[in-house]
Amino acid sequence: MQTKPFKKKLSRKLKKTYYALTGKVKPKSVVALSLENAQAAYGSRSDVSIHRFFLENEFELKKPKFLAEDAVFKGYKSTFPTKGANYDAVLLEIRNPNFSFQYNHLVDDENRPIYEPRVRFDELPIQHEYLLDPPKISGTVAYFSNTVPNQYGHWLQTQLPLLLSYWETFGKENIDYYYIGECPIVDFVEESFAKMGIRREQIINFSCRADRSLISMKFRDIDKINSMRTGFELDSHSVQFLQKNLFKPATPAYEGQFAKKIFVMRGNVKFRKELNLPEVKAALEPHGFTFVSMEGKTMQQEADIFGNADVIIAVHGSALHNTIFSRPGTKVVEIFPYDYFEASNFVISNYGGFDYYYMIGEPLGSDTNPNTYEDRNITDIRVDAKKLLRLCEEADILAGVTSSAV
């Protein structure tokens, strides 16, 4: 029983000894890429140019709708976001091959990873890694990763919108490669890049240096504006950019090709599972709902499903970000774990002109109900099916009922 842990421990010790003998080092700090920090770290250097890309967002957000019992969250918040975030990005243009892309970061020539201001150094996995001396490639490489690469929600919310600042600042034709981090090139990355006119051979998923390195960090947290923790909020300019450049929903070839009322299931996931899905199905299927999963779907297929639905119900998760493909007037119901709310889909719904509702799942018991905001996000969900039907009635989703939600 001790063999594997012992071998793993021994391997770490040997690795540490090898790196120490060969002069490898670990990073000791981070450059949090705000305009002020960029000026302090690189402002006097001739090999680093600092840029800012800013688009103001005047979009006023409508309040979400919900049942009265879901109006208050224990120990969390009292108000909702009222204004969307600006598109505000700081970009570095670096002509120094001693900067390197590795461990999902761009690392400067003083062994400091460059990352967004909201994340502390002690939260970055790279702090535990010995830095590499990767090979150099010719041309320009743009940073396109984060600490959790290949996550669909992050890809849509935080990574793809960076193309807007890169292309407007430097020109699409002047960027040769995009570094997505040391991870597989999954289907949605290749599909979305191809739709944007980026070829597979331009995608880099290995450590490297470049003649010219680019990095853009976008101010993403609407809580900085509204003094509340709400997650990675898209601005309206990013949403419009994605809607213009990504997939367009297909027009149905025949009546009933695409379901009008859908419940989007979580699929093969490790957390936020629907614990009583059969009960939810029994409640909704008589009212014309089709239960669908995005597992194994292409982005075009997901766009077709979301773009042709009139009503979308889903547990909070990445699949719901596909509402960027939906039509104005779509009714969206988002179900959260107990005592948790995150506003990214609420914000997207505002920009898309959707009718947005949310519902809170049931408590799971003191032994499984975590105290921290972060842990509540990853708990499984038990849906009160009767409560969900009441919300659907309030939202005028079920036939013959007039809406009277909060």
Side-chain angles (χ1 to χ4, degrees), residues 291-325:
F291 282 65
V292 298
S293 171
M294 297 301 104
E295 203 80 33
K297 298 282 194 304
T298 65
M299 287 190 75
Q300 179 64 67
Q301 289 171 329
E302 293 179 357
D304 294 343
I305 292 169
F306 276 76
N308 284 283
D310 295 329
V311 180
I312 301 166
I313 301 179
V315 164
H316 173 66
S318 296
L320 200 49
H321 300 327
N322 284 313
T323 52
I324 63 168
F325 304 120

Side-chain angles (χ1 to χ4, degrees), residues 2 13 33 38 50 121 140 165 210 212 222 314 353 357 367 388 406:
Q2 300 296 323
K13 285 186 175 181
L33 193 54
I50 302 169
F121 177 69
T140 296
S165 61
R212 178 170 172 253
I222 205 169
Y357 300 77
D367 56 334
L388 179 57
V406 176

Side-chain angles (χ1 to χ4, degrees), residues 61-73:
L61 304 179
K62 298 178 181 178
K63 291 182 178 180
K65 301 173 185 178
F66 45 86
L67 294 174
E69 58 261 47
D70 286 338
V72 179
F73 301 100

Side-chain angles (χ1 to χ4, degrees), residues 142-263:
Y143 176 78
F144 217 77
S145 187
N146 62 32
T147 54
V148 190
N150 276 355
Q151 204 274 350
Y152 187 67
H154 293 184
W155 182 253
L156 286 179
Q157 288 192 79
T158 67
Q159 288 161 270
L160 278 180
L162 293 179
L163 290 175
L164 178 57
S165 61
Y166 280 132
W167 291 353
E168 290 294 323
T169 304
F170 304 112
K172 179 181 177 181
E173 69 281 1
N174 296 317
I175 301 175
D176 301 300
Y177 305 100
Y178 297 85
Y179 170 78
I180 64 168
E182 276 97 319
C183 57
I185 302 174
V186 294
D187 289 343
F188 65 76
V189 169
E190 188 170 1
E191 290 168 14
S192 53
F193 264 163
K195 190 67 177 176
M196 297 280 198
I198 298 171
R199 305 181 307 277
R200 182 181 174 89
E201 55 266 30
Q202 292 181 272
I203 305 172
I204 290 181
N205 63 341
F206 53 85
S207 300
C208 67
R209 303 175 187 273
D211 295 318
R212 178 170 172 253
S213 301
L214 307 177
I215 185 169
S216 175
M217 281 294 161
K218 183 172 170 288
F219 181 95
R220 295 195 291 241
D221 268 347
I222 205 169
D223 63 336
K224 305 294 196 309
I225 298 172
N226 296 280
S227 300
M228 61 180 286
R229 170 101 182 222
T230 52
F232 293 167
E233 269 48 87
L234 280 170
D235 61 281
S236 59
H237 301 285
S238 292
V239 172
Q240 291 166 5
F241 175 76
L242 295 179
Q243 290 172 333
K244 178 181 178 181
N245 291 284
L246 283 177
F247 301 90
K248 302 296 185 289
T251 301
Y254 54 88
E255 183 70 25
Q257 181 182 4
F258 300 110
K260 292 300 182 183
K261 297 180 181 180
I262 61 173
F263 184 103

Side-chain angles (χ1 to χ4, degrees), residues 1-6:
M1 297 294 292
Q2 300 296 323
T3 304
K4 287 186 179 180
F6 175 76

Side-chain angles (χ1 to χ4, degrees), residues 327-344:
R327 293 170 285 110
T330 300
K331 294 189 176 183
V332 176
V333 178
E334 184 170 14
I335 305 173
F336 291 99
Y338 178 70
D339 198 29
Y340 177 85
F341 179 85
E342 194 273 345
S344 56

